[in-house]
Amino acid sequence: MAHGLSHQVQWSVVLPGAEGRARIDAAMAQLRASPPGRIGASPVVRVLDAVKGEERVRGERRPSGLPRSDVLAFQSEDGARLTVRPSGTEPKIKFYLELVGQARERRDVAPARARLEAEGQALRGALTRELKLA
């Protein structure tokens, strides 16, 4: 019997002052201009930009129907998700990453979770560096 797994990695980057705010704004602009093409090994198939009030699903644009806010969300073909939003009250940007996986047997669950954790931490580091937030 296969076991479906999900693993979440959440982190915030705090960047005080006007320079910090500018770096956070630049990171959001970069993600809007050049959204990630993959989350891990899986291609991104859905991009939500709540500021614009739209989403793209497999390249097709349509209204999101959600309230407008400074939130970006990306979903991959395998169901992994990355959501990014700056704080409205603090000098920080928040990231929420959810990875998914499978384990065929119960004994494979712990090693599969460990792989998801390692993948999540690697993605966290790569994204933080790519957005120049490290």
Side-chain angles (χ1 to χ4, degrees):
M1 179 169 112
H3 301 271
L5 306 171
S6 71
H7 182 75
Q8 292 146 5
V9 178
Q10 298 177 17
W11 72 98
S12 299
V13 177
V14 177
L15 299 168
E19 179 186 336
R21 178 83 252 162
R23 288 174 61 197
I24 289 169
D25 291 345
M28 292 297 287
Q30 181 179 338
L31 286 169
R32 283 191 169 89
S34 183
R38 307 182 92 61
I39 299 175
S42 184
V44 169
V45 295
R46 179 177 177 262
V47 177
L48 167 72
D49 187 340
V51 161
K52 294 179 181 177
E54 72 176 25
E55 65 180 352
R56 285 185 316 235
V57 179
R58 299 188 187 276
E60 179 186 324
R61 291 182 190 272
R62 59 185 179 210
S64 69
L66 296 173
R68 295 199 184 225
S69 63
D70 197 2
V71 174
L72 293 168
F74 310 95
Q75 184 172 348
S76 69
E77 195 167 73
D78 72 359
R81 291 183 293 207
L82 171 66
T83 304
V84 183
R85 71 177 188 86
S87 172
T89 59
E90 300 175 276
K92 78 168 112 172
I93 184 169
K94 300 175 184 178
F95 297 85
Y96 307 88
L97 174 64
E98 182 179 358
L99 300 173
V100 295
Q102 292 283 324
R104 291 186 186 260
E105 304 290 331
R106 183 180 280 299
R107 69 177 179 266
D108 300 328
V109 169
R113 284 195 189 283
R115 281 192 302 278
L116 289 175
E117 171 65 17
E119 181 181 355
Q121 293 303 326
L123 289 170
R124 171 187 176 169
L127 185 59
T128 302
R129 284 188 302 278
E130 182 180 324
L131 295 174
K132 297 176 179 63
L133 297 172

